[in-house]
Each structure stands twice: as structure tokens, then as C-alpha cells.
Amino acid sequence: MLLLSTTPPLKPAFIVQRTKGRLQHLLSNRNVTWRRNFRLTTLGDANSSAVEDYVEQQLGHHNLASEQSQQELESVSWCDPSVKIEEPMYSSHAQYILGLHVVLVHEGRWRTVEPAFLKITQSGILKTAAKYDCCVSRIGILADHIHTTIRFHYELAPVQLALSLMNNLAYLHGMRRLWPDSYYVGTIGPYNMNAVR
């Protein structure tokens, strides 16, 4: 087992390619050949189940004074139990278990619970993910920020997904400046860092 620390611009397929190539070179005098059973698994400080539970409970962490506003936010929460972040994907070179936790915060922390705005945001997240062969397991939309957990494709860099979400949502909302020049993206998977320690 190897632990690799990478940055958001790297595609998982590229990481596998370079890692396999370096190991093949190091072990070339031992006649070792890497096959498809090479697996890349994302992990983080918390495993995917804990992060998905956290996203699902966001409304409880950020109660609004208005019951109607709370109901509007609940109506756009998303959970797809058929999406399993721990489920492997296969390429001709490796197996992949890839999950991301993406958080986008509104510019200046401005707040809205306007129903049409919230529905456009939810729909935009799902359409953007589908465009890149990604599957959304959870969406937690709050008045001033968004959490989502996504099973992402091995040919996609985390930064591509985060920036596409930001740009597509801004476009759908009339090219408003919705976001500051930043985002949070963290890898999640079946294990947390304690598995490595």
C-alpha cells in the first residue's frame, strides 16, 4: 500500500499512470508487471459515510428562524442511496474508488431561500455532475453555502469538477458573481486517515 498526497489539478488516471510507471521502473530488474488489480482509493480525515451523514445533517446545524425557509431548504436537499462512493470503477489500467466532498460558499456569505433559486442550484449540480460522468450521492443546500458528495470519474481532476460547478451555477443564475475565488474540495472514501496510521 502507498499513500500519495496530491493536488486538485491531478486526474486519478494520471496518478495511476505515473505511479505504476515509477514502480515498474524501480522493479524492472525483478520482472514484476503491474496488472489491472492496481487500485487507487481516495481517503480523507473522515470516511465517506461520515461525510455523507454530515452533509445530510446540515439543515439541523444551520436552523433558520423561519419554518417556511427551513422547509424550502429541505425541499432541495438531495440523497441518492443508489450512489455508492465505495463502488469501484474500472479502466483497462486500474480500479478506482473516488469520492469528493465539495463546498461552495456564496460571495460575502449572502443568503437566499428563494424557491426558484434553490431549485436551479440543485438541478445545476446534478446536471453538471452528469455531464462529467459523476454521480451525486448527497446535496445539502443552505442559505449561504452548498455541500455535496460526489463519486467522480477517474479522467476528471477534482479542480475541473469544482470549477465547473461554480461556473455552471453562475451561468444558470444569470452570470451573477455567486462565489469568491475559492472552493473547498476534499477526497473521501471507505477509509479515513486512521487506516493509514
Side-chain angles (χ1 to χ4, degrees), residues 78 80 83 85 89 98-102 104 120-139 146-158 160-169 172:
W78 175 268
D80 185 346
V83 176
I85 288 177
M89 289 174 278
L98 305 170
L100 291 178
H101 175 207
V102 181
L104 304 177
I120 288 170
T121 298
Q122 181 207 60
S123 172
I125 292 169
L126 295 171
K127 286 178 182 173
T128 301
K131 177 180 170 184
Y132 291 102
D133 291 328
C134 299
C135 301
V136 176
S137 65
R138 299 280 191 287
I139 301 173
I146 300 164
H147 290 264
T148 185
T149 52
I150 300 173
R151 181 173 176 253
F152 74 108
H153 196 271
Y154 53 82
E155 288 290 354
L156 184 69
Q160 287 175 277
L161 182 58
L163 292 178
S164 291
L165 285 168
M166 293 170 78
N167 289 332
N168 288 343
L169 291 173
L172 290 171

Side-chain angles (χ1 to χ4, degrees), residues 15 36 75 81 95 99 145 149 170 183:
I15 295 168
R36 193 172 165 186
S75 74
Q95 300 173 13
H145 67 286
T149 52
Y183 59 88

